[in-house]
Structure formats: C-alpha cells, structure tokens
Amino acid sequence: PTGTGYPSLVDYQDTEQYLFSPGLVGSGEGWTVRGFYSGSADQVESLTSGWFMHNDFRVRSDQVEVQLEKELSEVWNLTLGGSYARQDFRKKNLGMGANEVDDGWENQALFGLLEYAPTEKTKILLGGRMEEYSDFGNPSTWQLSGRRMLGDSASLFVRYATSFSPPQASDLYGVLGNRNLKAEEADTWEMGVRLGAD
C-alpha cells in the first residue's frame, strides 16, 4: 500500500552514525587536568508515505570540555571545569529537493564538584552547573549526595539533584516531532543500598 497512513509497508530507514573523541590528560602533585573533544554525526534517510516524504535527516554534535581535579587535603577534593557544545540539524526533502529545517543551538557551561571524605567509609559530594544556551535560557542545576559503606560489599547512598534537558533534534523535527517543545526540568530524590565493591 502507498497511502498516507504512517507507517506503511513501503517505509524504510537507513542510518549512519559515527563518534570521534580524542582527549588529553596532564597531572602533577595533587592535581590532574583533563580535556577532550567529541564529535558525532547521525544521518537518517527515510521514506514515510511516497516520494514526496522522502527525507534526509542529519544531526551533528561537537563538544569541548576541560576539567581540573585538585586534591585540597586528605579529606577534600575539588573539580572545576567548563565546556562548549553545539548541535546542528538539517532536514531535506529529497523528493522535492528543498531544505525543510536548517537549525541548531549552542551551549556554554561552568561546573564544579566538591568531595568530602572524612573516613574511608563515608563520602559526601556537592556539585553545581551553570549553563548558557542560545535557545533555552540560562539554567543552573545542582546535586548533593552521600554514601556510607555498610561492609566490604554494600553501601547506603542518598542523592538529591535538579536537572535541565533541552529537546533534541529528533524531538523537534522528527516524524512525530513538535517544534514547540520546551526544555525539561526535574527534581530527583534517590535512596538505596548498592551491592558489590566500587
């Protein structure tokens, strides 16, 4: 059948993906610096309901991140860093030879994590992240977590965190996408027992 229903028996999808992520690490007495670049591309060619819906959908993502890990004392450790990311997406109608979507967004972020480990069995973490999006505002998120070892192979953990997640290209411009989607925000509580050695 070749009707306008979705999906149909003539639908097909070919996908090509790659990920490239080189990195550098440097260290000295009590400190470590890490930096990496990651690049990825995703191409999907699909036929939804005949030649007029023959689409080529491409997404490219690039990210650079640098972080410094510093041992402040025997019980305190600090991690500071920053990142830059960009995502570009394009949707082309191959049947009609026209670009339907040519869009993208950028993100810059600063983050930090403070670790306190007064004993070998106890660890407390406090982290925060400030971001600036070209399309989704300037959110700030944070988390507080703790862990207590209960023996050699079990630990009790608790965590509270806020999060911010912008829509991805497929959410906005996919077959069932919605261009009016907003970023998701959430508050998360976790508590439990973890089995097994770290």
Side-chain angles (χ1 to χ4, degrees):
T2 58
T4 59
Y6 175 81
S8 74
L9 296 179
V10 298
D11 288 355
Y12 70 90
Q13 176 173 304
D14 290 329
T15 303
E16 297 180 6
Q17 296 177 306
Y18 79 82
L19 174 64
F20 180 61
S21 183
L24 296 173
V25 178
S27 61
E29 187 175 349
W31 60 269
T32 302
V33 174
R34 306 176 190 273
F36 75 89
Y37 160 80
S38 65
S40 65
D42 187 354
Q43 178 182 358
V44 176
E45 183 178 343
S46 64
L47 178 63
T48 301
S49 299
W51 66 270
F52 60 92
M53 290 293 286
H54 187 181
N55 293 317
D56 180 60
F57 187 62
R58 304 188 182 202
V59 179
R60 178 175 177 84
S61 299
D62 297 279
Q63 181 174 358
V64 178
E65 183 169 306
V66 178
Q67 68 178 42
L68 168 67
E69 302 169 12
K70 174 66 175 175
E71 184 179 313
L72 302 177
S73 69
E74 293 183 356
V75 298
W76 293 95
N77 288 289
L78 178 65
T79 300
L80 296 173
S83 67
Y84 170 82
R86 178 168 181 85
Q87 186 175 100
D88 294 288
F89 26 94
R90 188 189 70 186
K91 181 179 179 182
K92 185 174 183 178
N93 188 310
L94 299 179
M96 298 182 179
N99 282 335
E100 295 183 357
V101 176
D102 191 355
D103 202 355
W105 52 258
E106 295 181 344
N107 167 265
Q108 302 172 63
L110 295 173
F111 58 86
L113 179 67
L114 185 63
E115 176 184 312
Y116 175 57
T119 70
E120 293 183 356
K121 294 186 176 183
T122 304
K123 182 181 293 186
I124 299 172
L125 299 172
L126 175 63
R129 184 179 181 91
M130 296 185 299
E131 300 183 88
E132 180 178 329
Y133 284 92
S134 58
D135 290 27
F136 303 106
N138 307 313
S140 295
T141 55
W142 66 280
Q143 67 164 328
L144 177 63
S145 63
R147 187 190 66 187
R148 173 71 179 180
M149 295 296 298
L150 303 176
D152 295 333
S153 59
S155 61
L156 173 68
F157 69 90
V158 62
R159 177 175 177 265
Y160 171 76
T162 63
S163 61
F164 182 91
S165 178
Q168 301 301 302
S170 58
D171 301 322
L172 296 169
Y173 303 114
V175 174
L176 300 177
N178 181 350
R179 302 189 184 195
N180 296 315
L181 284 177
K182 305 299 182 182
E184 296 182 3
E185 299 182 56
D187 296 274
T188 305
W189 282 97
E190 292 181 273
M191 178 179 291
V193 175
R194 181 176 297 151
L195 300 178
D198 288 341

